[in-house]
Amino acid sequence: MSEIRLKIDGKEVTVEAGKTILDAARKAGIDIPTVCHHEKLESFGGCRLCTVEAESGGRTNLVAACIYPAANDLVVWTRSPQIDKIRKVLTEQLLAYAPESEVLKAIAEDYHADKDRFPKEPSFCILCGLCVRYCAEVKKKNVVGFLDRGPCREINFIPELAAVECWDCKECFPLCPTSALQAAFVLTEALISLSPSLQKIDTRAKTASA
Ligand code: SF4
């Protein structure tokens, strides 16, 4: 496979063709924050915290490092006053949804973000999509998905599938950068315990896995 040579923060980096700026930076030990990226999943480009400056052909653009392909002679800067400001504001916005997220609090500290800048709307889910994509792409189950659009968008377990698939899995739980996933699952469990038909599915699943 052909190799790509680029420069990140003044450092020469070589990666395989097809890799992204984020892959190249991680290979070089350069930290770029992200809350929606996972190495086992397709790149999503959702949170935009990984925004960097990429110079090519005399032009400089702000790009999402997790989806922008590494290319020969690309010059990348991962920190600048503009980048830091973008990350600061994005983190402040995300903290309005998930003020107790330890992942976000750590990023906020690095970028001097004010956790009280925006009015709190604690849905707790920051719609990073890690749980949804992990369940679909790695587990091939599609038990958890997005419901609704725009400001009403939220994640939701399908109770009939959760009753069968989730008890022995829960692999998505540690991926969640907030407490939203556990909360949604607890709600689903409550729903299952209230529904006699779902209880039957649950009992059969537990018997089968015993
Ligand atoms: S529940 Fe957690 S992992 Fe799933 S989309 Fe929301 S923040 Fe991301």
Side-chain angles (χ1 to χ4, degrees):
M1 190 171 275
S2 63
E3 289 202 320
I4 300 288
R5 284 172 201 275
L6 67 162
K7 212 178 240 187
I8 305 179
D9 294 345
K11 200 170 172 179
E12 297 277 355
V13 188
T14 306
V15 281
E16 288 170 8
K19 296 290 182 186
T20 63
I21 291 176
L22 183 64
D23 295 326
R26 287 190 170 171
K27 187 178 175 202
I30 296 167
D31 182 51
I32 298 177
T34 163
V35 287
C36 72
H37 182 79
H38 189 284
E39 61 279 3
K40 286 188 181 168
L41 304 176
E42 290 290 320
S43 292
F44 187 53
C47 73
R48 298 278 151 173
L49 285 170
C50 68
T51 297
V52 294
E53 287 175 6
E55 294 174 26
S56 178
R59 294 185 56 177
T60 303
N61 292 308
L62 289 167
V63 300
C66 72
I67 49 175
Y68 199 90
N72 278 321
D73 302 325
L74 196 63
V75 176
V76 176
W77 298 100
T78 68
R79 296 292 294 256
S80 72
Q82 193 182 10
I83 292 167
D84 284 13
K85 192 171 175 193
I86 289 169
R87 291 181 186 158
K88 174 181 181 293
V89 175
L90 288 172
T91 308
E92 289 168 342
Q93 288 171 340
L94 292 173
L95 277 165
Y97 296 106
E100 298 310 321
S101 162
E102 295 302 328
V103 174
L104 291 177
K105 282 198 255 181
I107 298 172
E109 209 171 299
D110 288 347
Y111 292 92
H112 309 291
D114 174 1
K115 70 179 177 54
D116 298 315
R117 175 159 176 207
F118 293 104
K120 299 277 174 292
E121 300 173 44
S123 64
F124 303 103
C125 178
I126 55 171
L127 303 175
C128 72
L130 283 174
C131 57
V132 175
R133 290 178 290 130
Y134 189 86
C135 193
E137 293 175 29
V138 177
K139 304 300 291 187
K140 316 262 184 239
K141 301 292 185 187
N142 296 298
V143 178
V144 58
F146 285 119
L147 196 71
D148 239 321
R149 291 175 163 268
C152 300
R153 202 169 203 214
E154 59 182 23
I155 60 129
N156 190 36
F157 286 86
I158 299 169
E160 291 83 354
L161 292 179
V164 180
E165 304 289 353
C166 295
W167 309 107
D168 297 321
C169 177
K170 299 189 178 84
E171 286 173 29
C172 57
F173 278 29
L175 306 183
C176 181
T178 75
S179 57
L181 190 54
Q182 284 86 339
F185 189 68
V186 168
L187 269 176
T188 307
E189 278 185 302
L191 208 68
I192 290 169
S193 71
L194 288 174
S195 163
S197 61
L198 291 176
Q199 273 178 359
K200 271 187 220 151
I201 299 173
D202 171 24
T203 311
R204 284 203 297 271
K206 282 180 178 160
T207 310
S209 66

Short mmCIF file of all heavy atoms in Angstrom, two decimals, residues 158-206:
data_model
loop_
_atom_site.label_atom_id
_atom_site.label_comp_id
_atom_site.label_asym_id
_atom_site.label_seq_id
_atom_site.Cartn_x
_atom_site.Cartn_y
_atom_site.Cartn_z
N ILE A 158 -34.95 -0.05 21.14
CA ILE A 158 -36.20 -0.71 20.71
C ILE A 158 -36.46 -1.82 21.73
O ILE A 158 -35.70 -2.80 21.80
CB ILE A 158 -36.04 -1.30 19.29
CG1 ILE A 158 -35.72 -0.17 18.32
CG2 ILE A 158 -37.28 -2.06 18.87
CD1 ILE A 158 -35.29 -0.62 16.95
N PRO A 159 -37.50 -1.69 22.56
CA PRO A 159 -37.67 -2.61 23.69
C PRO A 159 -37.71 -4.08 23.28
O PRO A 159 -37.10 -4.93 23.94
CB PRO A 159 -39.00 -2.17 24.32
CG PRO A 159 -39.20 -0.78 23.87
CD PRO A 159 -38.54 -0.64 22.54
N GLU A 160 -38.41 -4.40 22.16
CA GLU A 160 -38.52 -5.81 21.73
C GLU A 160 -37.14 -6.40 21.44
O GLU A 160 -36.89 -7.57 21.71
CB GLU A 160 -39.40 -5.93 20.48
CG GLU A 160 -40.87 -5.63 20.71
CD GLU A 160 -41.18 -4.13 20.66
OE1 GLU A 160 -40.23 -3.31 20.57
OE2 GLU A 160 -42.37 -3.78 20.75
N LEU A 161 -36.25 -5.57 20.85
CA LEU A 161 -34.90 -6.07 20.54
C LEU A 161 -34.02 -6.03 21.79
O LEU A 161 -33.24 -6.96 22.04
CB LEU A 161 -34.26 -5.22 19.44
CG LEU A 161 -34.88 -5.33 18.05
CD1 LEU A 161 -34.15 -4.40 17.08
CD2 LEU A 161 -34.81 -6.76 17.55
N ALA A 162 -34.18 -4.97 22.57
CA ALA A 162 -33.35 -4.84 23.80
C ALA A 162 -33.61 -6.01 24.74
O ALA A 162 -32.68 -6.51 25.39
CB ALA A 162 -33.66 -3.52 24.49
N ALA A 163 -34.88 -6.45 24.80
CA ALA A 163 -35.22 -7.56 25.70
C ALA A 163 -34.45 -8.82 25.34
O ALA A 163 -34.17 -9.65 26.20
CB ALA A 163 -36.73 -7.83 25.62
N VAL A 164 -34.09 -8.94 24.08
CA VAL A 164 -33.37 -10.15 23.63
C VAL A 164 -31.86 -9.94 23.58
O VAL A 164 -31.08 -10.80 23.97
CB VAL A 164 -33.87 -10.56 22.22
CG1 VAL A 164 -33.15 -11.80 21.72
CG2 VAL A 164 -35.38 -10.78 22.23
N GLU A 165 -31.44 -8.76 23.09
CA GLU A 165 -30.03 -8.58 22.73
C GLU A 165 -29.14 -7.94 23.81
O GLU A 165 -27.94 -8.18 23.83
CB GLU A 165 -29.92 -7.72 21.46
CG GLU A 165 -30.67 -8.25 20.26
CD GLU A 165 -30.03 -9.50 19.68
OE1 GLU A 165 -28.92 -9.87 20.12
OE2 GLU A 165 -30.63 -10.11 18.78
N CYS A 166 -29.73 -7.07 24.64
CA CYS A 166 -28.88 -6.19 25.44
C CYS A 166 -28.34 -6.78 26.75
O CYS A 166 -27.28 -6.37 27.21
CB CYS A 166 -29.60 -4.88 25.75
SG CYS A 166 -29.93 -3.90 24.27
N TRP A 167 -29.06 -7.71 27.33
CA TRP A 167 -28.71 -8.14 28.69
C TRP A 167 -27.26 -8.60 28.80
O TRP A 167 -26.57 -8.27 29.76
CB TRP A 167 -29.63 -9.27 29.16
CG TRP A 167 -31.06 -8.92 28.99
CD1 TRP A 167 -31.93 -9.41 28.07
CD2 TRP A 167 -31.80 -7.92 29.72
NE1 TRP A 167 -33.16 -8.81 28.18
CE2 TRP A 167 -33.10 -7.90 29.18
CE3 TRP A 167 -31.49 -7.05 30.77
CZ2 TRP A 167 -34.09 -7.05 29.67
CZ3 TRP A 167 -32.46 -6.19 31.25
CH2 TRP A 167 -33.74 -6.20 30.72
N ASP A 168 -26.82 -9.37 27.83
CA ASP A 168 -25.46 -9.91 27.92
C ASP A 168 -24.45 -9.12 27.10
O ASP A 168 -23.32 -9.56 26.92
CB ASP A 168 -25.46 -11.37 27.46
CG ASP A 168 -26.32 -12.22 28.36
OD1 ASP A 168 -26.28 -12.00 29.58
OD2 ASP A 168 -27.04 -13.10 27.84
N CYS A 169 -24.88 -7.99 26.57
CA CYS A 169 -23.96 -7.22 25.73
C CYS A 169 -23.50 -5.96 26.48
O CYS A 169 -22.45 -5.96 27.09
CB CYS A 169 -24.65 -6.86 24.41
SG CYS A 169 -23.61 -5.84 23.34
N LYS A 170 -24.28 -4.92 26.38
CA LYS A 170 -23.99 -3.63 27.03
C LYS A 170 -22.59 -3.09 26.66
O LYS A 170 -21.98 -2.33 27.41
CB LYS A 170 -24.12 -3.75 28.56
CG LYS A 170 -25.53 -4.13 29.02
CD LYS A 170 -25.66 -4.03 30.52
CE LYS A 170 -27.05 -4.36 31.03
NZ LYS A 170 -27.33 -5.76 31.23
N GLU A 171 -22.07 -3.52 25.51
CA GLU A 171 -20.74 -3.06 25.10
C GLU A 171 -20.72 -1.58 24.76
O GLU A 171 -19.67 -0.95 24.71
CB GLU A 171 -20.25 -3.87 23.89
CG GLU A 171 -19.84 -5.27 24.26
CD GLU A 171 -19.52 -6.13 23.03
OE1 GLU A 171 -19.09 -5.59 22.00
OE2 GLU A 171 -19.72 -7.35 23.13
N CYS A 172 -21.91 -1.02 24.48
CA CYS A 172 -21.95 0.41 24.14
C CYS A 172 -21.83 1.28 25.39
O CYS A 172 -21.46 2.44 25.29
CB CYS A 172 -23.25 0.73 23.40
SG CYS A 172 -24.74 0.31 24.30
N PHE A 173 -22.13 0.74 26.56
CA PHE A 173 -22.14 1.57 27.78
C PHE A 173 -20.83 2.33 28.01
O PHE A 173 -20.86 3.54 28.21
CB PHE A 173 -22.48 0.72 29.00
CG PHE A 173 -23.96 0.48 29.19
CD1 PHE A 173 -24.82 0.45 28.12
CD2 PHE A 173 -24.48 0.28 30.45
CE1 PHE A 173 -26.17 0.24 28.27
CE2 PHE A 173 -25.84 0.08 30.63
CZ PHE A 173 -26.70 0.05 29.54
N PRO A 174 -19.69 1.65 27.99
CA PRO A 174 -18.46 2.42 28.28
C PRO A 174 -18.08 3.43 27.20
O PRO A 174 -17.19 4.25 27.42
CB PRO A 174 -17.38 1.32 28.41
CG PRO A 174 -17.96 0.10 27.84
CD PRO A 174 -19.44 0.22 27.84
N LEU A 175 -18.72 3.36 26.04
CA LEU A 175 -18.39 4.31 24.97
C LEU A 175 -19.03 5.68 25.21
O LEU A 175 -18.57 6.68 24.68
CB LEU A 175 -18.88 3.79 23.61
CG LEU A 175 -18.45 2.41 23.17
CD1 LEU A 175 -18.97 2.13 21.78
CD2 LEU A 175 -16.94 2.29 23.19
N CYS A 176 -20.11 5.70 25.95
CA CYS A 176 -20.91 6.93 26.10
C CYS A 176 -20.14 8.01 26.88
O CYS A 176 -19.73 7.77 28.02
CB CYS A 176 -22.21 6.62 26.81
SG CYS A 176 -23.27 8.06 27.02
N PRO A 177 -19.94 9.19 26.29
CA PRO A 177 -19.20 10.23 27.02
C PRO A 177 -20.04 10.96 28.08
O PRO A 177 -19.54 11.87 28.73
CB PRO A 177 -18.78 11.20 25.91
CG PRO A 177 -19.73 10.96 24.80
CD PRO A 177 -20.26 9.57 24.92
N THR A 178 -21.31 10.56 28.21
CA THR A 178 -22.18 11.16 29.24
C THR A 178 -22.89 10.00 29.94
O THR A 178 -22.61 8.85 29.68
CB THR A 178 -23.24 12.09 28.61
OG1 THR A 178 -24.23 11.26 27.99
CG2 THR A 178 -22.65 13.01 27.57
N SER A 179 -23.85 10.33 30.80
CA SER A 179 -24.58 9.24 31.46
C SER A 179 -25.87 8.90 30.72
O SER A 179 -26.70 8.14 31.21
CB SER A 179 -24.91 9.64 32.90
OG SER A 179 -25.65 10.84 32.87
N ALA A 180 -26.06 9.46 29.53
CA ALA A 180 -27.35 9.34 28.83
C ALA A 180 -27.70 7.90 28.46
O ALA A 180 -28.86 7.50 28.52
CB ALA A 180 -27.32 10.19 27.58
N LEU A 181 -26.70 7.16 28.07
CA LEU A 181 -26.98 5.81 27.57
C LEU A 181 -27.54 4.92 28.67
O LEU A 181 -28.54 4.21 28.48
CB LEU A 181 -25.68 5.22 27.02
CG LEU A 181 -25.80 3.94 26.24
CD1 LEU A 181 -26.80 4.09 25.10
CD2 LEU A 181 -24.45 3.54 25.70
N GLN A 182 -26.91 4.96 29.82
CA GLN A 182 -27.39 4.16 30.95
C GLN A 182 -28.81 4.58 31.31
O GLN A 182 -29.67 3.74 31.57
CB GLN A 182 -26.47 4.31 32.16
CG GLN A 182 -25.17 3.52 32.04
CD GLN A 182 -24.08 4.30 31.30
OE1 GLN A 182 -24.36 5.24 30.56
NE2 GLN A 182 -22.84 3.89 31.47
N ALA A 183 -29.05 5.90 31.30
CA ALA A 183 -30.38 6.39 31.66
C ALA A 183 -31.43 5.87 30.67
O ALA A 183 -32.51 5.42 31.07
CB ALA A 183 -30.38 7.92 31.67
N ALA A 184 -31.09 5.90 29.40
CA ALA A 184 -32.04 5.41 28.38
C ALA A 184 -32.28 3.93 28.55
O ALA A 184 -33.41 3.44 28.39
CB ALA A 184 -31.48 5.70 26.99
N PHE A 185 -31.25 3.18 28.90
CA PHE A 185 -31.42 1.74 29.06
C PHE A 185 -32.25 1.42 30.30
O PHE A 185 -33.08 0.51 30.27
CB PHE A 185 -30.06 1.04 29.13
CG PHE A 185 -30.20 -0.45 29.07
CD1 PHE A 185 -30.64 -1.07 27.91
CD2 PHE A 185 -29.94 -1.24 30.17
CE1 PHE A 185 -30.81 -2.44 27.85
CE2 PHE A 185 -30.09 -2.61 30.12
CZ PHE A 185 -30.53 -3.21 28.95
N VAL A 186 -32.04 2.18 31.36
CA VAL A 186 -32.85 1.98 32.57
C VAL A 186 -34.33 2.20 32.25
O VAL A 186 -35.19 1.43 32.66
CB VAL A 186 -32.38 2.92 33.71
CG1 VAL A 186 -33.36 2.94 34.86
CG2 VAL A 186 -31.01 2.49 34.21
N LEU A 187 -34.58 3.21 31.42
CA LEU A 187 -35.97 3.47 31.01
C LEU A 187 -36.52 2.29 30.21
O LEU A 187 -37.67 1.87 30.39
CB LEU A 187 -36.02 4.70 30.12
CG LEU A 187 -36.25 6.04 30.79
CD1 LEU A 187 -36.17 7.15 29.76
CD2 LEU A 187 -37.63 6.05 31.44
N THR A 188 -35.69 1.76 29.34
CA THR A 188 -36.12 0.62 28.52
C THR A 188 -36.39 -0.60 29.41
O THR A 188 -37.38 -1.31 29.20
CB THR A 188 -35.03 0.27 27.48
OG1 THR A 188 -34.72 1.45 26.78
CG2 THR A 188 -35.51 -0.79 26.51
N GLU A 189 -35.51 -0.81 30.38
CA GLU A 189 -35.74 -1.93 31.32
C GLU A 189 -37.07 -1.77 32.03
O GLU A 189 -37.83 -2.74 32.18
CB GLU A 189 -34.63 -1.96 32.37
CG GLU A 189 -33.36 -2.62 31.91
CD GLU A 189 -32.36 -2.70 33.06
OE1 GLU A 189 -32.01 -1.65 33.62
OE2 GLU A 189 -31.96 -3.81 33.41
N ALA A 190 -37.37 -0.52 32.44
CA ALA A 190 -38.63 -0.26 33.14
C ALA A 190 -39.81 -0.58 32.22
O ALA A 190 -40.81 -1.18 32.63
CB ALA A 190 -38.69 1.19 33.59
N LEU A 191 -39.65 -0.20 30.95
CA LEU A 191 -40.71 -0.45 29.97
C LEU A 191 -40.93 -1.95 29.80
O LEU A 191 -42.06 -2.44 29.76
CB LEU A 191 -40.26 0.16 28.63
CG LEU A 191 -41.32 0.61 27.68
CD1 LEU A 191 -42.03 1.82 28.27
CD2 LEU A 191 -40.67 1.01 26.36
N ILE A 192 -39.82 -2.69 29.73
CA ILE A 192 -39.92 -4.14 29.56
C ILE A 192 -40.60 -4.76 30.79
O ILE A 192 -41.45 -5.64 30.66
CB ILE A 192 -38.51 -4.74 29.35
CG1 ILE A 192 -37.98 -4.32 27.98
CG2 ILE A 192 -38.55 -6.27 29.45
CD1 ILE A 192 -36.52 -4.62 27.76
N SER A 193 -40.25 -4.26 31.98
CA SER A 193 -40.83 -4.87 33.19
C SER A 193 -42.33 -4.57 33.30
O SER A 193 -43.06 -5.29 33.96
CB SER A 193 -40.10 -4.36 34.44
OG SER A 193 -40.43 -3.01 34.65
N LEU A 194 -42.78 -3.53 32.59
CA LEU A 194 -44.21 -3.20 32.64
C LEU A 194 -45.03 -3.94 31.59
O LEU A 194 -46.24 -3.96 31.63
CB LEU A 194 -44.40 -1.69 32.41
CG LEU A 194 -43.96 -0.78 33.55
CD1 LEU A 194 -44.06 0.67 33.12
CD2 LEU A 194 -44.83 -1.02 34.78
N SER A 195 -44.33 -4.50 30.59
CA SER A 195 -45.05 -5.13 29.49
C SER A 195 -44.99 -6.65 29.57
O SER A 195 -43.92 -7.23 29.42
CB SER A 195 -44.44 -4.65 28.16
OG SER A 195 -44.83 -5.49 27.13
N PRO A 196 -46.12 -7.33 29.77
CA PRO A 196 -46.11 -8.80 29.88
C PRO A 196 -45.53 -9.48 28.64
O PRO A 196 -44.77 -10.43 28.75
CB PRO A 196 -47.59 -9.15 30.05
CG PRO A 196 -48.26 -7.89 30.48
CD PRO A 196 -47.45 -6.77 29.97
N SER A 197 -45.83 -8.93 27.43
CA SER A 197 -45.32 -9.59 26.22
C SER A 197 -43.80 -9.48 26.14
O SER A 197 -43.11 -10.41 25.74
CB SER A 197 -45.97 -8.99 24.98
OG SER A 197 -45.64 -7.62 24.92
N LEU A 198 -43.24 -8.30 26.54
CA LEU A 198 -41.79 -8.15 26.51
C LEU A 198 -41.12 -8.97 27.60
O LEU A 198 -40.00 -9.46 27.42
CB LEU A 198 -41.42 -6.67 26.66
CG LEU A 198 -41.78 -5.78 25.47
CD1 LEU A 198 -41.47 -4.34 25.77
CD2 LEU A 198 -41.03 -6.23 24.23
N GLN A 199 -41.82 -9.17 28.71
CA GLN A 199 -41.26 -10.00 29.77
C GLN A 199 -41.06 -11.43 29.28
O GLN A 199 -40.08 -12.08 29.61
CB GLN A 199 -42.20 -10.01 30.98
CG GLN A 199 -41.92 -8.86 31.92
CD GLN A 199 -42.88 -8.85 33.08
OE1 GLN A 199 -43.77 -9.69 33.19
NE2 GLN A 199 -42.71 -7.89 33.96
N LYS A 200 -42.01 -11.90 28.44
CA LYS A 200 -41.88 -13.27 27.91
C LYS A 200 -40.62 -13.36 27.04
O LYS A 200 -39.86 -14.30 27.14
CB LYS A 200 -43.12 -13.61 27.07
CG LYS A 200 -44.24 -14.21 27.90
CD LYS A 200 -45.35 -14.69 27.00
CE LYS A 200 -46.69 -14.35 27.65
NZ LYS A 200 -47.76 -14.14 26.70
N ILE A 201 -40.41 -12.34 26.20
CA ILE A 201 -39.22 -12.34 25.33
C ILE A 201 -37.96 -12.35 26.20
O ILE A 201 -37.03 -13.10 25.98
CB ILE A 201 -39.20 -11.09 24.42
CG1 ILE A 201 -40.42 -11.07 23.51
CG2 ILE A 201 -37.94 -11.05 23.58
CD1 ILE A 201 -40.55 -9.78 22.71
N ASP A 202 -37.98 -11.49 27.23
CA ASP A 202 -36.84 -11.36 28.14
C ASP A 202 -36.53 -12.71 28.81
O ASP A 202 -35.38 -13.16 28.87
CB ASP A 202 -37.20 -10.28 29.17
CG ASP A 202 -36.21 -10.19 30.31
OD1 ASP A 202 -35.07 -10.60 30.10
OD2 ASP A 202 -36.59 -9.72 31.38
N THR A 203 -37.57 -13.40 29.29
CA THR A 203 -37.37 -14.67 29.97
C THR A 203 -36.79 -15.69 29.02
O THR A 203 -35.86 -16.43 29.35
CB THR A 203 -38.74 -15.18 30.52
OG1 THR A 203 -39.35 -14.11 31.21
CG2 THR A 203 -38.55 -16.35 31.45
N ARG A 204 -37.31 -15.71 27.78
CA ARG A 204 -36.79 -16.67 26.80
C ARG A 204 -35.32 -16.38 26.51
O ARG A 204 -34.50 -17.28 26.41
CB ARG A 204 -37.61 -16.58 25.51
CG ARG A 204 -38.99 -17.25 25.61
CD ARG A 204 -39.49 -17.63 24.22
NE ARG A 204 -39.68 -16.48 23.37
CZ ARG A 204 -40.82 -15.78 23.28
NH1 ARG A 204 -41.87 -16.13 24.00
NH2 ARG A 204 -40.92 -14.76 22.49
N ALA A 205 -34.98 -15.06 26.37
CA ALA A 205 -33.60 -14.71 26.08
C ALA A 205 -32.67 -15.13 27.21
O ALA A 205 -31.59 -15.65 26.99
CB ALA A 205 -33.49 -13.20 25.85
N LYS A 206 -33.10 -14.90 28.45
CA LYS A 206 -32.25 -15.24 29.60
C LYS A 206 -32.10 -16.74 29.70
O LYS A 206 -31.01 -17.26 30.01
CB LYS A 206 -32.84 -14.66 30.88
CG LYS A 206 -32.55 -13.18 31.02
CD LYS A 206 -33.13 -12.60 32.28
CE LYS A 206 -32.77 -11.13 32.40
NZ LYS A 206 -33.63 -10.41 33.29
#
